[in-house]
Amino acid sequence: RFLEVGMIDFAGSGVVHMTGGFTALIAAIVLGPRIGRFYDEDGNPLDKPASFAPHSVALQVLGTFILWFGWYGFNPGSTLSISPGGYGDVAALCAVTTTLAAAAGAVSSMFTDTLLGFMSEGEAEYDLTMAMNGCLGGLVGITAGCSTVEPWAAVVIGLIAGPVYVLSSKLLVMLKIDDAVDAIPVHFFNGIWGCLATGIFASRRMVSMTYGDEWSPGLFYGSGSLIVCEICGILFIIGWVLVTMLPFFYVLKMLGMFRVDPIEEKVGLDISHHKGAAYDLTGPDKADVDELAEKRATAHGKEGFEDSA
């Protein structure tokens, strides 16, 4: 093992989430932003990036909780067994730390975004999207060290994961990198944080329980070897993904296979690829809306509706 320790990435903050997140970053840069996101039709930069509202925040919340539930198979399940002696304790610790980090990430990300908005615009608004993605950021952040950190450290990891998500999301917008679902801040940046957090907070007691007495704990417990291994692991993952995925996406782009035609992008892939829109987004007829407003203005609509009948 490197430095007689090796990298600890129990359930994959690095090898799973960082890998996917950095792949998404490369893809987003090569692909370029969506039409109308940062530039107008003439290619001039917009004063303020355009926002594309989600079609259903309720489904977003549902999806987040489904992912959270699935993480209990992802993190505790990474013990790969539960019947041998000690394995159940490791799985139980993973479940506890996963829960705490996710909850802390949701709270800290929402209030970080609220505070930044209040400082810039003078209004306190609470964005549910930030809370949900912050929850996922907390889950990603705890994935590497879920079996090696104390419960209190899981709360700290989640509390830091929230601002990591919010600030990295805003950084991508500043750099005009279009990430439609904020996968890069959630998976790449919090994947990095998860690996670093393991190198900082891995406790001697939990490391011994999971890996044995010969493994070193984190920086907080007096050893710097683990954090060095974590940094080396992060750099290796970045280098490997860059070498493998950058040529892949460039080849797809040169072959014209990476992006749909602009008119298809404007119309929407539900129509161009799936024979129709997934949602009926047409509004009511304006004349009907005006008539309804007029009837409501007359005796709360009673007289108008009776006359129509």
Side-chain angles (χ1 to χ4, degrees):
R1 297 192 299 268
F2 182 57
L3 295 181
E4 298 183 356
V5 180
M7 180 186 184
I8 292 179
D9 187 12
F10 185 75
S13 288
V15 297
V16 176
H17 296 283
M18 260 192 68
T19 300
F22 192 48
T23 299
L25 176 59
I26 296 171
I29 294 172
V30 175
L31 183 66
R34 288 165 289 175
I35 295 174
R37 175 68 164 127
F38 298 118
Y39 304 94
D40 61 22
E41 294 182 356
D42 298 323
N44 300 314
L46 299 174
D47 294 333
K48 185 178 181 180
S51 297
F52 296 85
H55 67 269
S56 174
V57 176
L59 289 179
Q60 181 187 28
V61 174
L62 177 62
T64 300
F65 277 98
I66 291 172
L67 283 170
W68 190 344
F69 180 75
W71 235 279
Y72 293 113
F74 191 48
N75 284 3
S78 292
T79 59
L80 304 180
S81 183
I82 200 166
S83 56
Y87 278 62
D89 295 335
V90 175
L93 174 65
C94 291
V96 170
T97 55
T98 297
T99 304
L100 294 174
V107 173
S108 66
S109 61
M110 185 181 72
F111 282 104
T112 298
D113 180 69
T114 299
L115 179 60
L116 293 175
F118 182 78
M119 293 171 60
S120 61
E121 301 176 8
E123 295 289 339
E125 298 175 324
Y126 305 95
D127 190 340
L128 194 57
T129 296
M130 288 291 173
M132 295 300 97
N133 281 339
C135 170
L136 297 180
L139 288 167
V140 172
I142 196 59
T143 295
C146 59
S147 67
T148 57
V149 301
E150 301 281 351
W152 67 264
V155 175
V156 175
I157 291 170
L159 289 175
I160 296 176
V164 168
Y165 159 69
V166 173
L167 296 177
S168 57
S169 177
K170 295 183 182 301
L171 174 64
L172 292 182
V173 174
M174 290 174 55
L175 296 175
K176 290 184 170 54
I177 298 173
D178 188 15
D179 183 356
V181 295
D182 269 348
I184 299 166
V186 168
H187 295 280
F188 177 58
F189 287 97
N190 267 305
I192 292 175
W193 164 236
C195 293
L196 293 176
T198 303
I200 297 170
F201 294 111
S203 78
R204 189 178 302 277
R205 181 167 68 98
M206 299 306 181
V207 169
S208 178
M209 179 181 72
T210 305
Y211 292 104
D213 295 332
E214 68 273 12
W215 287 70
S216 298
L219 189 64
F220 192 80
Y221 292 86
S223 174
S225 298
L226 182 57
I227 188 68
V228 173
C229 290
E230 299 293 325
I231 293 172
C232 290
I234 290 169
L235 295 177
F236 179 84
I237 292 170
I238 290 173
W240 186 85
V241 174
L242 184 66
V243 169
T244 56
M245 300 311 299
L246 184 61
F248 174 74
F249 288 126
Y250 263 113
V251 169
L252 288 180
K253 184 175 183 179
M254 289 187 295
L255 294 175
M257 300 171 62
F258 198 31
R259 188 164 192 149
V260 297
D261 186 87
I263 189 64
E264 290 190 52
E265 186 175 340
K266 290 180 180 179
V267 170
L269 300 190
D270 286 332
I271 293 176
S272 67
H273 281 59
H274 304 291
K275 295 186 177 182
Y279 301 91
D280 182 9
L281 300 179
T282 57
D285 186 79
K286 186 177 184 302
D288 293 339
V289 175
D290 292 340
E291 181 182 356
L292 177 62
E294 182 179 350
K295 288 180 178 180
R296 283 184 171 177
T298 307
H300 301 291
K302 293 181 179 179
E303 295 179 9
F305 285 117
E306 290 173 358
D307 291 344
S308 297

